[in-house]
Amino acid sequence: MQPLVVSHPLAQCHLTEMRNASTPSHRFRRHLNLLGRMLFLEATRELSVEAIRVQTPLQETDGVTLARPMVLVPILRAGLGLLDGILSLVPDASVAHVGIKRNEETALPQPYYANLPPVITEADVFLLDPMLATGGSAVEAARQLKAAGAKHVTMLCVVSCPQGIATLSKAHPDVRIVTAAIDDSLNDCRYIVPGLGDAGDRYFGTL
Ligand code: PRP
Ligand code: URA
């Protein structure tokens, strides 16, 4: 499955502001929030719906409702930056959490928390993380989701790179990837280049 790259000009403007090292945390947060909404709108373009009838004040007419429940899963910490904007579009969605911290020296994922509700087994699940670098964190998160019974998983990430996409696609070929950019590569510290730096630190102001 090829990643969906959201090339909408407004999405690319938000991304450019986020890449800019001079953008302070409060503006970085705002751009991540808005870009997250745009990624989510593109990711859900083909979402399954069911036909229902609805009574307007004047008469009955046709309408639709989501065919499956929806679960949003931010990978702590930085994934939280995508959550609020998306939740404003789907206020009925459930929110699950997966906590994973990349080891600073090895870049291997270290899981430290998980809270995955039973509804995940029948839901459209959206895994949220601004960065797909080595892919280690996303592979581990998808593993946990599937172990909990998730079947329909989409990964939303702002910046990805070929290595992360290849690693996630090999481990979980059924997980769809939606991203605003596929950057060139990883540097020696396994940061995405050109990238946007450490997303969690920039979002939370902990640089
Ligand atoms: C960052 C990012 C991803 C991960 C990506 O989180 O938000 O979760 O690294 O790297 P990978 O693809 O090589 O696994 P980090 O581990 O720095 O934690 P944080 O969100 O708490 O800052
Ligand atoms: N985590 C980040 O926040 N940024 C990167 O470039 C890689 C991992």
Side-chain angles (χ1 to χ4, degrees):
M1 211 181 327
Q2 288 300 312
L4 172 63
V5 179
V6 178
S7 58
H8 192 293
L10 295 180
Q12 294 303 313
C13 288
H14 289 303
L15 174 58
T16 303
E17 294 280 355
M18 291 176 67
R19 287 192 193 277
N20 187 339
S22 305
T23 299
S25 282
H26 69 275
R27 287 187 47 215
F28 187 90
R29 288 182 196 130
R30 182 79 185 134
H31 290 297
L32 180 56
N33 178 297
L34 293 169
L35 181 49
R37 286 187 216 189
M38 298 191 71
L39 294 179
F40 184 71
L41 284 174
E42 291 297 331
T44 51
R45 198 174 271 283
E46 309 286 335
L47 200 63
S48 301
V49 291
E50 281 172 0
I52 57 168
R53 296 285 289 169
V54 63
Q55 176 71 48
T56 81
L58 302 178
Q59 67 173 64
E60 216 181 64
T61 189
D62 292 328
V64 293
T65 189
L66 294 184
R68 291 193 278 262
M70 188 176 287
V71 179
L72 309 177
V73 191
I75 301 180
L76 308 177
R77 282 180 308 172
L80 289 173
L82 288 161
L83 181 63
D84 282 355
I86 294 173
L87 204 48
S88 70
L89 293 171
V90 283
D92 290 335
S94 303
V95 181
H97 294 86
V98 173
I100 300 174
K101 176 75 188 151
R102 217 168 71 136
N103 180 296
E104 306 236 328
E105 277 155 29
T106 63
L108 292 173
Q110 298 177 321
Y112 60 85
Y113 181 74
N115 186 327
L116 303 173
V119 69
I120 216 158
T121 58
E122 53 185 295
D124 283 307
V125 179
F126 292 87
L127 193 52
L128 314 179
D129 196 322
M131 310 305 283
L132 179 62
T134 66
S137 303
V139 167
E140 169 58 20
R143 186 196 68 73
Q144 291 189 24
L145 294 179
K146 288 187 182 175
K151 296 181 214 52
H152 313 280
V153 181
T154 299
M155 166 94 200
L156 295 196
C157 53
V158 170
V159 182
S160 62
C161 64
Q163 182 178 338
I165 290 169
T167 300
L168 179 57
S169 302
K170 187 168 177 214
H172 301 289
D174 54 326
V175 171
R176 199 162 59 109
I177 301 172
V178 178
T179 184
I182 303 176
D183 276 9
D184 297 339
S185 57
L186 298 174
N187 67 11
D188 291 345
C189 301
R190 299 182 190 88
Y191 272 73
I192 299 174
V193 283
L196 50 74
D198 189 308
D201 281 342
R202 293 195 66 191
Y203 183 84
F204 288 106
T206 50
L207 281 168

PDB file of all heavy atoms in Angstrom, residues 18 21 23 35-36 42 47 54-55 57 59 71 74 79 86 94 98 110 112 136 138 145-146 153 169 188 206:
ATOM      1  N   MET A  18       6.010  24.714  10.621  1.00  0.00           N
ATOM      2  CA  MET A  18       6.494  23.790  11.652  1.00  0.00           C
ATOM      3  C   MET A  18       7.967  23.457  11.458  1.00  0.00           C
ATOM      4  O   MET A  18       8.705  23.259  12.427  1.00  0.00           O
ATOM      5  CB  MET A  18       5.661  22.505  11.637  1.00  0.00           C
ATOM      6  CG  MET A  18       4.238  22.714  12.102  1.00  0.00           C
ATOM      7  SD  MET A  18       3.290  21.196  11.961  1.00  0.00           S
ATOM      8  CE  MET A  18       4.103  20.198  13.189  1.00  0.00           C
ATOM      9  N   ALA A  21      12.826  26.543  12.261  1.00  0.00           N
ATOM     10  CA  ALA A  21      13.393  26.460  13.616  1.00  0.00           C
ATOM     11  C   ALA A  21      13.042  27.681  14.456  1.00  0.00           C
ATOM     12  O   ALA A  21      13.121  27.632  15.687  1.00  0.00           O
ATOM     13  CB  ALA A  21      14.909  26.298  13.522  1.00  0.00           C
ATOM     14  N   THR A  23      10.060  29.044  14.631  1.00  0.00           N
ATOM     15  CA  THR A  23       8.650  29.002  15.063  1.00  0.00           C
ATOM     16  C   THR A  23       8.582  28.599  16.538  1.00  0.00           C
ATOM     17  O   THR A  23       9.051  27.520  16.908  1.00  0.00           O
ATOM     18  CB  THR A  23       7.853  27.997  14.195  1.00  0.00           C
ATOM     19  OG1 THR A  23       7.912  28.429  12.842  1.00  0.00           O
ATOM     20  CG2 THR A  23       6.405  27.899  14.649  1.00  0.00           C
ATOM     21  N   LEU A  35      -2.874  21.169  10.868  1.00  0.00           N
ATOM     22  CA  LEU A  35      -2.401  20.194   9.889  1.00  0.00           C
ATOM     23  C   LEU A  35      -2.960  18.803  10.209  1.00  0.00           C
ATOM     24  O   LEU A  35      -3.316  18.041   9.299  1.00  0.00           O
ATOM     25  CB  LEU A  35      -0.866  20.181   9.878  1.00  0.00           C
ATOM     26  CG  LEU A  35      -0.176  19.237   8.904  1.00  0.00           C
ATOM     27  CD1 LEU A  35      -0.746  19.358   7.497  1.00  0.00           C
ATOM     28  CD2 LEU A  35       1.322  19.513   8.891  1.00  0.00           C
ATOM     29  N   GLY A  36      -3.063  18.498  11.491  1.00  0.00           N
ATOM     30  CA  GLY A  36      -3.653  17.211  11.891  1.00  0.00           C
ATOM     31  C   GLY A  36      -5.067  17.063  11.364  1.00  0.00           C
ATOM     32  O   GLY A  36      -5.464  16.000  10.863  1.00  0.00           O
ATOM     33  N   GLU A  42      -8.324  14.024   4.878  1.00  0.00           N
ATOM     34  CA  GLU A  42      -7.921  13.235   3.700  1.00  0.00           C
ATOM     35  C   GLU A  42      -7.959  11.747   4.014  1.00  0.00           C
ATOM     36  O   GLU A  42      -8.375  10.942   3.176  1.00  0.00           O
ATOM     37  CB  GLU A  42      -6.516  13.640   3.242  1.00  0.00           C
ATOM     38  CG  GLU A  42      -6.443  15.026   2.651  1.00  0.00           C
ATOM     39  CD  GLU A  42      -7.271  15.162   1.370  1.00  0.00           C
ATOM     40  OE1 GLU A  42      -7.439  14.174   0.650  1.00  0.00           O
ATOM     41  OE2 GLU A  42      -7.766  16.274   1.115  1.00  0.00           O
ATOM     42  N   LEU A  47     -14.124   6.795   4.202  1.00  0.00           N
ATOM     43  CA  LEU A  47     -14.608   6.106   5.402  1.00  0.00           C
ATOM     44  C   LEU A  47     -15.973   5.455   5.149  1.00  0.00           C
ATOM     45  O   LEU A  47     -16.832   6.042   4.488  1.00  0.00           O
ATOM     46  CB  LEU A  47     -14.727   7.142   6.524  1.00  0.00           C
ATOM     47  CG  LEU A  47     -14.744   6.644   7.954  1.00  0.00           C
ATOM     48  CD1 LEU A  47     -13.436   5.940   8.302  1.00  0.00           C
ATOM     49  CD2 LEU A  47     -14.950   7.833   8.897  1.00  0.00           C
ATOM     50  N   VAL A  54     -33.429  10.392   8.505  1.00  0.00           N
ATOM     51  CA  VAL A  54     -33.431  11.408   9.553  1.00  0.00           C
ATOM     52  C   VAL A  54     -34.666  12.293   9.367  1.00  0.00           C
ATOM     53  O   VAL A  54     -35.082  12.569   8.234  1.00  0.00           O
ATOM     54  CB  VAL A  54     -32.122  12.240   9.522  1.00  0.00           C
ATOM     55  CG1 VAL A  54     -31.966  13.017   8.237  1.00  0.00           C
ATOM     56  CG2 VAL A  54     -32.050  13.193  10.708  1.00  0.00           C
ATOM     57  N   GLN A  55     -35.237  12.683  10.500  1.00  0.00           N
ATOM     58  CA  GLN A  55     -36.418  13.537  10.464  1.00  0.00           C
ATOM     59  C   GLN A  55     -35.975  14.990  10.604  1.00  0.00           C
ATOM     60  O   GLN A  55     -35.462  15.394  11.652  1.00  0.00           O
ATOM     61  CB  GLN A  55     -37.363  13.152  11.618  1.00  0.00           C
ATOM     62  CG  GLN A  55     -38.589  14.015  11.763  1.00  0.00           C
ATOM     63  CD  GLN A  55     -39.596  13.775  10.629  1.00  0.00           C
ATOM     64  OE1 GLN A  55     -39.918  12.640  10.307  1.00  0.00           O
ATOM     65  NE2 GLN A  55     -40.087  14.842  10.035  1.00  0.00           N
ATOM     66  N   PRO A  57     -37.025  19.150  10.621  1.00  0.00           N
ATOM     67  CA  PRO A  57     -38.248  19.805  11.117  1.00  0.00           C
ATOM     68  C   PRO A  57     -39.387  19.760  10.099  1.00  0.00           C
ATOM     69  O   PRO A  57     -40.547  19.963  10.453  1.00  0.00           O
ATOM     70  CB  PRO A  57     -37.785  21.246  11.366  1.00  0.00           C
ATOM     71  CG  PRO A  57     -36.322  21.135  11.626  1.00  0.00           C
ATOM     72  CD  PRO A  57     -35.848  20.041  10.731  1.00  0.00           C
ATOM     73  N   GLN A  59     -39.544  17.225   7.099  1.00  0.00           N
ATOM     74  CA  GLN A  59     -39.908  15.893   6.610  1.00  0.00           C
ATOM     75  C   GLN A  59     -38.765  14.924   6.839  1.00  0.00           C
ATOM     76  O   GLN A  59     -37.658  15.340   7.202  1.00  0.00           O
ATOM     77  CB  GLN A  59     -40.264  15.934   5.122  1.00  0.00           C
ATOM     78  CG  GLN A  59     -39.086  16.260   4.214  1.00  0.00           C
ATOM     79  CD  GLN A  59     -39.432  16.126   2.748  1.00  0.00           C
ATOM     80  OE1 GLN A  59     -40.284  16.864   2.251  1.00  0.00           O
ATOM     81  NE2 GLN A  59     -38.780  15.200   2.072  1.00  0.00           N
ATOM     82  N   VAL A  71     -11.684   5.061  16.925  1.00  0.00           N
ATOM     83  CA  VAL A  71     -10.764   5.198  18.055  1.00  0.00           C
ATOM     84  C   VAL A  71      -9.517   5.946  17.583  1.00  0.00           C
ATOM     85  O   VAL A  71      -8.892   5.570  16.589  1.00  0.00           O
ATOM     86  CB  VAL A  71     -10.361   3.819  18.638  1.00  0.00           C
ATOM     87  CG1 VAL A  71      -9.375   3.998  19.788  1.00  0.00           C
ATOM     88  CG2 VAL A  71     -11.591   3.050  19.124  1.00  0.00           C
ATOM     89  N   PRO A  74      -3.224   8.513  20.107  1.00  0.00           N
ATOM     90  CA  PRO A  74      -1.956   9.249  20.072  1.00  0.00           C
ATOM     91  C   PRO A  74      -0.849   8.422  20.700  1.00  0.00           C
ATOM     92  O   PRO A  74      -1.052   7.775  21.727  1.00  0.00           O
ATOM     93  CB  PRO A  74      -2.250  10.504  20.911  1.00  0.00           C
ATOM     94  CG  PRO A  74      -3.372  10.109  21.818  1.00  0.00           C
ATOM     95  CD  PRO A  74      -4.175   9.059  21.089  1.00  0.00           C
ATOM     96  N   GLY A  79       2.279  12.596  19.900  1.00  0.00           N
ATOM     97  CA  GLY A  79       1.004  12.328  19.227  1.00  0.00           C
ATOM     98  C   GLY A  79      -0.148  13.116  19.816  1.00  0.00           C
ATOM     99  O   GLY A  79      -1.155  13.364  19.136  1.00  0.00           O
ATOM    100  N   ILE A  86      -8.228  16.837  15.711  1.00  0.00           N
ATOM    101  CA  ILE A  86      -8.973  15.735  15.099  1.00  0.00           C
ATOM    102  C   ILE A  86     -10.236  15.442  15.905  1.00  0.00           C
ATOM    103  O   ILE A  86     -11.320  15.239  15.340  1.00  0.00           O
ATOM    104  CB  ILE A  86      -8.063  14.494  14.987  1.00  0.00           C
ATOM    105  CG1 ILE A  86      -6.930  14.794  14.001  1.00  0.00           C
ATOM    106  CG2 ILE A  86      -8.866  13.268  14.570  1.00  0.00           C
ATOM    107  CD1 ILE A  86      -5.867  13.725  13.915  1.00  0.00           C
ATOM    108  N   SER A  94     -13.613   7.541  20.482  1.00  0.00           N
ATOM    109  CA  SER A  94     -12.933   7.183  21.729  1.00  0.00           C
ATOM    110  C   SER A  94     -11.454   7.514  21.575  1.00  0.00           C
ATOM    111  O   SER A  94     -10.930   7.538  20.457  1.00  0.00           O
ATOM    112  CB  SER A  94     -13.058   5.687  22.010  1.00  0.00           C
ATOM    113  OG  SER A  94     -14.405   5.300  22.056  1.00  0.00           O
ATOM    114  N   VAL A  98      -1.132   5.023  23.751  1.00  0.00           N
ATOM    115  CA  VAL A  98       0.045   4.158  23.777  1.00  0.00           C
ATOM    116  C   VAL A  98       1.233   5.066  24.107  1.00  0.00           C
ATOM    117  O   VAL A  98       1.437   6.081  23.445  1.00  0.00           O
ATOM    118  CB  VAL A  98       0.273   3.478  22.405  1.00  0.00           C
ATOM    119  CG1 VAL A  98       1.594   2.733  22.398  1.00  0.00           C
ATOM    120  CG2 VAL A  98      -0.864   2.520  22.081  1.00  0.00           C
ATOM    121  N   GLN A 110      10.806   2.157  23.416  1.00  0.00           N
ATOM    122  CA  GLN A 110      10.612   1.629  24.768  1.00  0.00           C
ATOM    123  C   GLN A 110       9.171   1.909  25.195  1.00  0.00           C
ATOM    124  O   GLN A 110       8.841   3.039  25.565  1.00  0.00           O
ATOM    125  CB  GLN A 110      11.580   2.313  25.738  1.00  0.00           C
ATOM    126  CG  GLN A 110      13.041   2.039  25.392  1.00  0.00           C
ATOM    127  CD  GLN A 110      14.007   2.762  26.303  1.00  0.00           C
ATOM    128  OE1 GLN A 110      13.795   3.914  26.695  1.00  0.00           O
ATOM    129  NE2 GLN A 110      15.093   2.089  26.635  1.00  0.00           N
ATOM    130  N   TYR A 112       5.974   2.252  27.488  1.00  0.00           N
ATOM    131  CA  TYR A 112       5.838   2.449  28.933  1.00  0.00           C
ATOM    132  C   TYR A 112       4.394   2.562  29.386  1.00  0.00           C
ATOM    133  O   TYR A 112       4.124   2.650  30.579  1.00  0.00           O
ATOM    134  CB  TYR A 112       6.650   3.674  29.397  1.00  0.00           C
ATOM    135  CG  TYR A 112       6.250   4.986  28.752  1.00  0.00           C
ATOM    136  CD1 TYR A 112       5.199   5.759  29.251  1.00  0.00           C
ATOM    137  CD2 TYR A 112       6.931   5.453  27.629  1.00  0.00           C
ATOM    138  CE1 TYR A 112       4.840   6.950  28.659  1.00  0.00           C
ATOM    139  CE2 TYR A 112       6.581   6.660  27.026  1.00  0.00           C
ATOM    140  CZ  TYR A 112       5.532   7.404  27.552  1.00  0.00           C
ATOM    141  OH  TYR A 112       5.170   8.585  26.954  1.00  0.00           O
ATOM    142  N   GLY A 136      10.375   2.403  14.292  1.00  0.00           N
ATOM    143  CA  GLY A 136      10.321   1.501  15.445  1.00  0.00           C
ATOM    144  C   GLY A 136       9.118   1.756  16.347  1.00  0.00           C
ATOM    145  O   GLY A 136       8.437   0.810  16.774  1.00  0.00           O
ATOM    146  N   ALA A 138       6.239   3.254  15.609  1.00  0.00           N
ATOM    147  CA  ALA A 138       4.981   2.949  14.924  1.00  0.00           C
ATOM    148  C   ALA A 138       4.764   1.441  14.823  1.00  0.00           C
ATOM    149  O   ALA A 138       3.640   0.946  14.999  1.00  0.00           O
ATOM    150  CB  ALA A 138       4.984   3.578  13.537  1.00  0.00           C
ATOM    151  N   LEU A 145      -1.748  -2.504  19.057  1.00  0.00           N
ATOM    152  CA  LEU A 145      -3.148  -2.351  18.610  1.00  0.00           C
ATOM    153  C   LEU A 145      -3.695  -3.670  18.092  1.00  0.00           C
ATOM    154  O   LEU A 145      -4.821  -4.081  18.406  1.00  0.00           O
ATOM    155  CB  LEU A 145      -3.240  -1.296  17.499  1.00  0.00           C
ATOM    156  CG  LEU A 145      -2.909   0.145  17.889  1.00  0.00           C
ATOM    157  CD1 LEU A 145      -3.021   1.058  16.676  1.00  0.00           C
ATOM    158  CD2 LEU A 145      -3.833   0.633  18.996  1.00  0.00           C
ATOM    159  N   LYS A 146      -2.884  -4.361  17.289  1.00  0.00           N
ATOM    160  CA  LYS A 146      -3.357  -5.632  16.722  1.00  0.00           C
ATOM    161  C   LYS A 146      -3.492  -6.704  17.804  1.00  0.00           C
ATOM    162  O   LYS A 146      -4.416  -7.508  17.768  1.00  0.00           O
ATOM    163  CB  LYS A 146      -2.412  -6.083  15.628  1.00  0.00           C
ATOM    164  CG  LYS A 146      -2.529  -5.225  14.378  1.00  0.00           C
ATOM    165  CD  LYS A 146      -1.692  -5.832  13.294  1.00  0.00           C
ATOM    166  CE  LYS A 146      -1.744  -4.996  12.056  1.00  0.00           C
ATOM    167  NZ  LYS A 146      -0.833  -5.519  11.031  1.00  0.00           N
ATOM    168  N   VAL A 153      -6.470  -0.145  10.744  1.00  0.00           N
ATOM    169  CA  VAL A 153      -5.569   0.837  11.350  1.00  0.00           C
ATOM    170  C   VAL A 153      -4.978   1.752  10.275  1.00  0.00           C
ATOM    171  O   VAL A 153      -4.473   1.292   9.250  1.00  0.00           O
ATOM    172  CB  VAL A 153      -4.417   0.137  12.111  1.00  0.00           C
ATOM    173  CG1 VAL A 153      -3.495   1.172  12.759  1.00  0.00           C
ATOM    174  CG2 VAL A 153      -4.963  -0.825  13.155  1.00  0.00           C
ATOM    175  N   SER A 169       5.703  -0.654   6.742  1.00  0.00           N
ATOM    176  CA  SER A 169       4.959  -1.396   5.717  1.00  0.00           C
ATOM    177  C   SER A 169       5.342  -2.868   5.717  1.00  0.00           C
ATOM    178  O   SER A 169       4.507  -3.738   5.449  1.00  0.00           O
ATOM    179  CB  SER A 169       5.222  -0.816   4.332  1.00  0.00           C
ATOM    180  OG  SER A 169       4.865   0.539   4.316  1.00  0.00           O
ATOM    181  N   ASP A 188      22.709  10.750  11.290  1.00  0.00           N
ATOM    182  CA  ASP A 188      23.428   9.765  12.116  1.00  0.00           C
ATOM    183  C   ASP A 188      22.748   9.536  13.463  1.00  0.00           C
ATOM    184  O   ASP A 188      22.935   8.495  14.088  1.00  0.00           O
ATOM    185  CB  ASP A 188      24.876  10.232  12.358  1.00  0.00           C
ATOM    186  CG  ASP A 188      25.682  10.177  11.072  1.00  0.00           C
ATOM    187  OD1 ASP A 188      25.213   9.523  10.111  1.00  0.00           O
ATOM    188  OD2 ASP A 188      26.763  10.792  11.024  1.00  0.00           O
ATOM    189  N   THR A 206      10.007  21.809  25.613  1.00  0.00           N
ATOM    190  CA  THR A 206      10.978  21.201  26.533  1.00  0.00           C
ATOM    191  C   THR A 206      12.363  21.070  25.895  1.00  0.00           C
ATOM    192  O   THR A 206      13.139  20.193  26.257  1.00  0.00           O
ATOM    193  CB  THR A 206      10.491  19.799  26.990  1.00  0.00           C
ATOM    194  OG1 THR A 206      10.123  19.026  25.820  1.00  0.00           O
ATOM    195  CG2 THR A 206       9.293  19.924  27.892  1.00  0.00           C
TER     196      THR A 206
END
